[in-house]
Amino acid sequence: MTLVRLGYVAMSTQLQNASPSQTMTFKQFSQLNDKEAAIGKLERIANSNLHNCLRLLKHNVAHDIKFFRFSSKLIPLANHPELKGWDFINPLSEALEEIGHYIKEHPMRVGFHPDHFVVLNTSDKDVLKNTFRTLDMHRTLLKGMDVSPKHRCVLHVGGAYDDKEKALEQFIHNWGLTPRKLQELVILENDDTIFSASDTLYLCEKLGIPLVFDYHHHLANHQKDWQEDWERIKDTWGNSPLPIKMHISSPRSEKEFKAHAEYVDSKMFINFLHEIKGSVKEIDCMIEAKKKDEALFKLVEDLKKEPYIEWINEGSFSI
DNA sequence: ACGCGTCAAGTACTC
DNA sequence: GAGTACTTGACGCGT
């Protein structure tokens, strides 16, 4: 028997005016002459984002969704190189604590997927430095919520830089330069163009990092069937306090295969569940679809037609 | 209210 | 080396 928990990403298509990703671009920031006022505006935006984030968590709990990815755009320009020295955490501590209290009252799995400029295998010192800074920001946010930072940030391996093998070794090299408190945040995901699940496993096993298996990326980029690697993927989670995590999405079309569809193909998901059934006690599936929570709810509707699924609540079931 | 162009800290590709 | 595309949500402008 396998307990499956469903989650979704960052924002809701159902809850109105609840964006956790409002922003100010660097260009806009640069054009403001009064820097103090500009920073004040950034802080107001960040507080509004956190407020909406809490509203999203409440919306989730109302629908039994206990698995959620936070937006990584909660604090605009938080780690922009030009805004070094801005103490963005202090003005946000109350809002973070409020989110933290809510998570304690309603236990749930939360995490981040930092943006594409967080690149751990870069050979550019400045990019690596900013990667560390951004990871540290994510850690600080989690700490501010009193959530254990362990295994909360999904990253891709990074760029290929014309030589995949060398790029993997560069990751290992940079990992040695990564502070331990940042290492423990990281979990790695197979991507849809360069590093397949097998490639990523190489790093995960060598460095003791859990692998977040993205089924859609796997379909777009693989050397062999995922079933051959499934045991190894599971094992990367052996030392994690959290259950194994996966990403689930469907291709938008044959032509735009790598793009996310609005909804998840429930047949595909059901087939996958049948294959892994019983192989793990618990698995958390992150639904990555354009329609966000609406896609999750639609998937649940579809799954409810399957007689062998035992529902625990609207957001989790056993199979 | 809606459509369209702009913006984004990285990487990849083309010329 | 410069320019463009990728991706995706937000924003601002024009209608």
Side-chain angles (χ1 to χ4, degrees), chain A residues 237-288:
Chain A
W237 289 88
N239 290 319
S240 180
L242 299 165
I244 183 168
K245 165 149 96 177
M246 279 198 59
H247 290 169
I248 296 290
S249 54
S250 295
R252 184 177 299 164
S253 64
E254 234 358 270
K255 216 172 170 189
E256 297 172 285
F257 190 86
K258 289 172 181 173
H260 287 168
E262 294 194 334
Y263 297 96
V264 166
D265 175 0
S266 59
K267 280 209 180 77
M268 175 277 290
F269 186 50
I270 289 162
N271 288 338
F272 178 80
L273 288 176
H274 275 300
E275 297 218 46
I276 59 146
K277 179 166 74 174
S279 70
V280 283
K281 253 202 267 183
E282 267 183 89
I283 188 164
D284 291 333
C285 294
M286 178 60 67
I287 305 303
E288 296 181 323

Side-chain angles (χ1 to χ4, degrees), chain A residues 23-32 42 45 76-77 80:
Chain A
T23 194
M24 189 189 324
T25 63
F26 181 66
K27 191 172 178 179
Q28 290 172 308
F29 179 85
S30 318
Q31 283 165 352
L32 295 171
L42 286 175
I45 293 171
L77 306 179
H80 198 282

Side-chain angles (χ1 to χ4, degrees), chain A residues 189-191 195-202 211 213-214 218 221-223 226 229 233:
Chain A
E189 173 192 355
N190 56 306
D191 68 65
F195 299 105
S196 67
S198 307
D199 297 328
T200 311
L201 257 179
Y202 166 74
L211 173 62
F213 179 55
D214 188 307
H218 167 79
N221 176 30
H222 63 269
Q223 295 97 340
W226 65 271
D229 281 331
I233 293 171

